[in-house]
Amino acid sequence: QVQLIESGGGLVQAGGSLTLSCAGSGGNFHTYAIGWFRQAPGKEREFVANIKWSGDSTKYADSVKGRSTIFRDNAKNTVYLQMNTLKPEDTAIYYCTASARGPPPTDWTQYDYWGQGTQVTVSS
């Protein structure tokens, strides 16, 4: 069993930056791939980024590629999502999730554990 807690969300102006954190506990967190997904009101949940358990492989959605960086510190059981040049369309609840599958999936149904989410609001 892995518990995930997101933090770092908030209100930011367009063009600004945020770094989200996902702190994990229990269940050998360092052996799991971690994904970030987001869901805006009235929209489907969508993939944002993921990272392999070792940290040496990452994948990004086209919508955030070039503006975001996912990285992890397994010594701290934490995964980060740094987001730059934020846009109003980035407004959503951001969820951290863990998968025991390899390679890290982009389909949210392939993830085993979920955090409660953190709200990101980008004002224009």
Side-chain angles (χ1 to χ4, degrees):
Q1 189 82 9
V2 175
Q3 292 81 43
L4 304 171
I5 300 176
E6 304 95 335
S7 62
L11 173 64
V12 63
Q13 288 189 329
S17 299
L18 280 176
T19 298
L20 306 183
S21 299
C22 172
S25 61
N28 294 321
F29 175 85
H30 65 280
T31 67
Y32 284 82
I34 299 297
W36 284 96
F37 288 77
R38 66 187 183 186
Q39 188 164 18
K43 294 190 176 181
E44 297 283 322
R45 188 173 308 184
E46 66 171 344
F47 168 75
V48 177
N50 65 25
I51 187 167
K52 189 178 176 181
W53 66 271
S54 56
D56 60 356
S57 178
T58 59
K59 186 175 293 184
Y60 299 91
D62 288 343
S63 58
V64 303
K65 194 176 295 182
R67 301 189 293 123
S68 298
T69 303
I70 186 171
F71 56 102
R72 67 191 298 163
D73 184 343
N74 283 339
K76 296 182 178 179
N77 279 0
T78 304
V79 171
Y80 305 91
L81 179 68
Q82 182 179 8
M83 300 187 295
N84 301 315
T85 319
L86 284 161
K87 306 174 182 180
E89 51 263 43
D90 293 318
T91 295
I93 299 175
Y94 284 70
Y95 297 93
C96 167
T97 183
S99 173
R101 296 167 177 83
T106 58
D107 180 352
W108 67 269
T109 64
Q110 300 299 304
Y111 283 82
D112 306 297
Y113 303 102
W114 291 79
Q116 294 298 306
T118 185
Q119 176 72 48
V120 172
T121 303
V122 184
S123 63
S124 57

